Amino acid sequence: MGGKIKTLTEPKIVKLESFKVMGAACETTMVEKDVKIPRLMEEFHTKQMITIENRLNAPVSYGVFIDPEDWNTDTEPFTWIAAVEVDGHDNLPSGMVSRTFDEQDYAALDYDPDEHNYDPYPFLHKWINENGYEQISGYGFERYEPYTGANTKFTLYLPVKRMSAKD
């Protein structure tokens, strides 16, 4: 039987230490993302990544999304950054961006597009809400080890905090 596995991997809560990334960014909408993001990822991984001098933890790389405050998913763009971890924000190549992410708890989900036939984003959002957490901050990221193209396995990380007990 050749088909995708329908079973889900179990999400988990992990604490990540502060880290810095550097990479190439684009603005896109939910309508355009399936064209713009793969194009940016391919360009970054094949041509731009080698210009980053202070890279850490190769071959790990990231796809970071940053949503505007009160983001309207139907009409407003968000930012996607194809990035690698770095030891600082010095030596920023022309046209690239950098960001620091503070220590944070994340809901994490391993996802393999060749084996799983569900969308990991709504699945993880639902899991967060059903397990006593709430998503915080308007960002998250996919972590690749390594990035190999559009069907790369990744771990999806969404920042969370435990919900307060209801009185």
Side-chain angles (χ1 to χ4, degrees):
M1 282 194 242
K4 292 187 177 185
I5 298 170
K6 291 185 171 53
T7 57
L8 305 172
T9 59
E10 185 65 26
K12 57 190 174 279
I13 300 297
V14 297
K15 180 179 283 297
L16 297 182
E17 293 182 13
S18 174
F19 66 101
K20 298 170 179 70
V21 298
M22 188 178 289
C26 73
E27 280 204 350
T28 187
T29 62
M30 293 301 286
V31 171
E32 301 171 323
K33 71 176 177 59
D34 293 332
V35 172
K36 286 181 128 181
I37 292 173
R39 187 181 308 144
L40 175 70
M41 295 294 285
E42 185 68 22
E43 176 80 14
F44 176 74
H45 284 90
T46 60
K47 297 177 183 164
Q48 297 171 317
M49 185 170 64
I50 60 170
T51 66
I52 297 174
E53 298 174 5
N54 52 338
R55 182 176 181 186
L56 297 175
N57 298 323
V60 172
S61 64
Y62 297 86
V64 180
F65 61 88
I66 301 170
D67 302 330
E69 194 170 328
D70 300 320
W71 181 45
N72 180 330
T73 59
D74 293 329
T75 61
E76 293 180 329
F78 65 97
T79 301
W80 182 271
I81 306 170
V84 294
E85 189 173 353
V86 293
D87 62 10
H89 298 299
D90 298 332
N91 305 321
L92 183 66
S94 177
M96 291 207 189
V97 299
S98 63
R99 271 193 84 100
T100 298
F101 297 99
D102 294 330
E103 181 178 285
Q104 178 65 52
D105 288 333
Y106 293 89
L109 175 67
D110 294 329
Y111 182 75
D112 183 344
D114 287 334
E115 293 185 8
H116 301 125
N117 69 350
Y118 60 92
D119 184 336
Y121 284 83
F123 178 79
L124 190 54
H125 285 289
K126 182 178 179 190
W127 184 89
I128 289 167
N129 293 332
E130 291 175 351
N131 285 276
Y133 291 89
E134 61 182 305
Q135 188 176 347
I136 57 172
S137 302
Y139 77 96
F141 55 90
E142 298 176 1
R143 184 176 193 268
Y144 315 102
E145 294 186 46
Y147 181 82
T148 56
N151 285 339
T152 300
K153 295 177 190 179
F154 62 88
T155 302
L156 174 61
Y157 291 87
L158 299 177
V160 296
K161 69 177 181 181
R162 172 116 4 233
M163 289 197 308
S164 303
K166 294 183 175 142
D167 297 273

